Amino acid sequence: MFLLLLLLLLTPIIAQTTSSKRGLVHIASGGHPSDDSIWITPPTTLTWYYNYNSRPTSSLSSGNLSFVPMLWGDHNNTFVEDVRGQEDVKWVLSFNEPDMGSNVGGSDITPVRAAELWKRDIEPLKGVGKELGAPAVSGSSTGMSWLKDFFNECDGCSVDFIPIHWYGNFEGLASHIGEVRAAFPNKTIWVTEFGWADQPLAPTQNFFNTTLKYLDRLDYVTHYSWFGSFRSDVSNVGPNGAMLNSDGEVTDIGAWYLGRQGKGIKPNTGNSAARIRRGDWVLWGIVYFIISLRAL
Ligand SMILES: *[C@@H]1O[C@H](CO)[C@@H](O)[C@H](O)[C@H]1NC(C)=O
Ligand SMILES: *[C@@H]1O[C@H](CO)[C@@H](O)[C@H](O)[C@H]1NC(C)=O
Ligand SMILES: *[C@@H]1O[C@H](CO)[C@@H](O)[C@H](O)[C@H]1NC(C)=O
Ligand SMILES: *[C@@H]1O[C@H](CO)[C@@H](O)[C@H](O)[C@H]1NC(C)=O
């Protein structure tokens, strides 16, 4: 009885500080490969990652993160063979935002074509014990209708979980999850990209905390990955959701996500932006010098 009471008292505390659901959308940092060591240095709450690719990221391989391969789009890259060769892989992601144009990072595929590709590149992996993620549609209104069309086309396809994306406020995310849950009541949900894009810092941090508590509580949301794992100066969703500032220091959101204490590092701090501006002046100086020479 006493033990049970102790367990009941401890459970919520444990649930707040660690999360087996938490993962990384890994975005390679071209100019700063050493940033990758941040994600695999203990302590960390992260348990899995994906990188929009079929093969693991070598700089993350010494960590304890489970790799989740992704087909991404309509390109023949021997996906089935690649993934079959990776025995540790348990889950597979299929298409990335197929309902969106390639100009905004989508893989731009019709539900009919996606169903064909699913049967060729994804379904065979069910036979070797992998769990399969539905196409990860965007959070816009086109997403759900694309997904319903896909399910109508992909007759007999074995979808195990539904990945979703969201870039709006908390109420919108909660309602979107409700809509997905209502449409696919027997599937678990992964939130594989989320954030509240282009907001000031305080609302971004409040969104972050509220959303993570909510996702940790929903038992049918089994995985989530915050967007994102990059420096604030290269973010395409505004600087304030970035887990690193422009010098590669871990921001508060980055620290909280990893289960560490925030050190008050703001996303808009760091010298890289200033260095880029100085670099521009040097470049213009050279251009001006060349033009002056030609004028002589
Ligand atoms: C991997 O997990 C083990 C056991 O939990 C832990 O001792 C080790 O520090 C972890 N290694 C890394 C790189 O996270
Ligand atoms: C990939 O493309 C090559 C060349 O077009 C073709 O021979 C091969 O069968 C394709 N693989 C799959 C899995 O369709
Ligand atoms: C969900 O699963 C239950 C029990 O396995 C089944 O009876 C029901 O038809 C399923 N619903 C959907 C929408 O697949
Ligand atoms: C968010 O949660 C962290 C703990 O994870 C806490 O330290 C921080 O004060 C919270 N911030 C806000 C803005 O609620």
Side-chain angles (χ1 to χ4, degrees), residues 103-126:
N103 57 327
V104 289
S107 58
D108 200 1
I109 305 174
T110 64
V112 173
R113 178 65 180 149
E116 273 169 33
L117 288 168
W118 180 285
K119 287 170 187 162
R120 189 192 80 184
D121 290 342
I122 302 288
E123 191 68 25
L125 294 165
K126 186 72 187 168

Side-chain angles (χ1 to χ4, degrees), residues 7-20:
L7 264 178
L8 282 176
L9 282 172
L10 283 177
T11 310
I13 299 170
I14 294 166
Q16 274 167 24
T17 51
T18 65
S19 171
S20 63

